[in-house]
Amino acid sequence: AQVELEADSVLTGEEEDESLLLSMSSSSNKLQTREGWWTTFVLYDGCWMDRQAAMSVSLVRAQFVPRDDDVLLATYPKCGTTWLKALSFAIANRHRHPVVSAGHHPLLTQSPHDLVPFIELPFRHIHPLAAALDAIPSPRLLGTHMPHHLLPPRIGCRIVYLCREPKDVVISTWHFMNKVIEGFSIDFDKAFELFVDGCSPFGPIWNHYLGYWNKHVEEPDRVLFLKYDDMMADPAGHVKKLAEFLRVPFTDDEVDAGVVEEVVRLCSFEKLSRLPVNSSVVAGRVGVDERPMKNSVFFRKGKVRDWKNYLTEEMAKKLDAAIEEKLKGSGLTL
Ligand code: A3P
């Protein structure tokens, strides 16, 4: 559908929003809504999100101009997007910005989210953002939380997808929302139930995972599928794999010189989270719900299995069972 898109005017009223969303979604009926996490969520073509995210997704679908040599870093929120962006940026730009004795490396002074922008964020500011995305020279590294089936129709570029153990994702999401949404204090049990029910930002999480997983199975050379826990267990192996996928494999000389380990170190949670740009209290961006957001919100613990400190055995079993049921037959194991 072609729609006249005026970002500043489309958001003036709920009815106008609804009509734009409907014109961009495959549904002709009123969008289903549910009291979500911090606000009402709409079910936009099978994906739960708040209304502003849905507007943004609609605008991206209509406006984004893809390039064949783009590389899209796709994640479900809280699966390690910040890490994946940092690693990919460091790998792809290592000849321009050496990582060995990286005194002036851009990652030391800029957030990974500024170096690798999301195509659908910040919400609403799509006009300036679209121009900014157009201005990035090829080959572009771009991020997205959009599920595969909602990506702009003409996207045919390579995609790196990163998923994570869902029990860790729900814990990370709950902490994140408590930090970024002022006055947000959703009861943890309620948040958990919504998550298990599929109602979470860009959820259901299993549909998000499966959309990219199925594409990966179909086209393994075009869609690389990674897991946070595996990356934590073998970061160097994943850095090499990522470099090959990005078509900038490490040479033997680089490997001998320890460049792979330098990339791992530069992008580690310990290194990035302690940098002033990522730990300062200064709001660096517009975030969820259009509120100012600090870069520090993207760093919490960076551990696997932190869910053990929060979920009861019963909760863990419930989420495991839901995920197992949804992934059955797909070949994807987490
Ligand atoms: P926790 O909340 O479990 O600590 P995203 O980047 O998709 O928003 O995901 C955020 C999660 O990734 C948070 O998890 C955060 O701490 C973790 N994280 C951020 N930077 C990381 C890094 N460099 N290495 C590993 N984990 C990182």
Side-chain angles (χ1 to χ4, degrees), residues 75-87 112-113 118 145 162 164 168-169 171-173 175-176 179 228 231-232 264 266-273 296-304 306:
T75 50
Y76 184 84
K78 313 327 293 173
C79 285
T81 322
T82 315
W83 190 20
L84 180 64
K85 285 183 173 185
L87 289 170
H113 295 288
F118 283 107
H145 285 323
L162 175 61
R164 190 181 186 187
D168 279 334
V169 177
I171 301 302
S172 188
T173 305
H175 279 100
F176 180 79
K179 276 192 255 176
Y228 181 94
M231 269 175 43
M232 289 293 267
V264 171
L266 175 64
C267 300
S268 66
F269 179 88
E270 290 68 29
K271 177 78 185 176
L272 291 184
S273 63
S296 58
V297 298
F298 295 107
F299 302 88
R300 190 180 65 93
K301 283 191 184 170
K303 299 264 181 259
V304 297
D306 186 42

Side-chain angles (χ1 to χ4, degrees), residues 139-152:
R140 296 182 299 185
L141 273 178
L142 302 167
T144 188
H145 285 323
M146 289 162 66
H148 189 273
H149 72 282
L150 287 182
L151 290 180

Side-chain angles (χ1 to χ4, degrees), residues 311-322:
L311 298 184
T312 62
E313 209 171 302
E314 196 186 335
M315 287 166 124
K317 275 191 187 147
K318 185 170 180 178
L319 182 49
D320 281 346

Side-chain angles (χ1 to χ4, degrees), residues 267-295:
C267 300
S268 66
F269 179 88
E270 290 68 29
K271 177 78 185 176
L272 291 184
S273 63
R274 288 181 191 146
L275 295 170
V277 66
N278 294 324
S279 58
S280 89
V281 293
V282 178
R285 60 187 60 257
V286 176
V288 184
D289 224 9
E290 303 221 25
R291 293 167 202 275
M293 197 151 107
K294 300 161 195 157
N295 291 334

